[in-house]
Amino acid sequence: MCFRHTFNRCQSPPRRGCRRGGGSMIELVVSATLLVALIGTFAPMSLSAGRMWQQTRHHQLALDELSNHLDRLLALPEDQRGAELQSLQPSAAAQAALPAASLTAVQVSDEDGTRVTIAINWQRQTPSQPLSLTGWSRGTDDE
């Protein structure tokens, strides 16, 4: 098969039986435009989904941290609990995962009993309220 003769026949205006290979410039521009539009759409979506997953992991870790500290505090006798409330610190895992994590705790005694409210706050991308959990200590039932 002689390609030189086929190429020479197809240089001037296309004739019947003359096949040109490749795509036209219009097809290339349209496909490039579609590709840029798809990348422009899916890149921000994937970035925001990644940020959402990270925030969800941080939220879950913060709730686990609160739950662990609250369980430990409520298991202590009431006379030891006050000292522990003052020296409350996030665990090493929470400090590593949550930027600038801080814990606060308050013990309140009223007619409903003694309750401990513990809160955790960390640096987030958007300003948010600290997460908090409240637990009631089991007192002696003298009634």
Side-chain angles (χ1 to χ4, degrees), residues 36-87:
V36 167
L38 287 174
I39 289 173
T41 301
F42 288 115
M45 286 174 47
S46 66
L47 288 175
S48 67
R51 273 188 245 117
M52 182 69 72
W53 277 108
Q54 183 182 25
Q55 289 174 1
T56 302
R57 283 191 304 269
H58 285 173
H59 193 271
Q60 184 63 45
L61 179 65
L63 285 176
D64 287 344
E65 183 76 9
L66 287 175
S67 177
N68 291 340
H69 281 289
L70 189 61
D71 286 344
R72 186 177 57 81
L73 287 171
L74 291 176
L76 291 174
E78 220 170 303
D79 56 339
Q80 294 177 359
R81 194 178 302 147
E84 284 292 322
L85 289 174
Q86 300 305 319
S87 64

Side-chain angles (χ1 to χ4, degrees), residues 65 69 88-95 100-103 120-121:
E65 183 76 9
H69 281 289
L88 206 57
Q89 292 293 321
S91 68
Q95 287 178 347
S102 64
L103 284 171
I120 188 168
N121 200 6

Side-chain angles (χ1 to χ4, degrees), residues 78 137-143:
E78 220 170 303
S137 67
R138 289 187 213 131
T140 57
D141 291 335
D142 294 349
E143 300 172 8

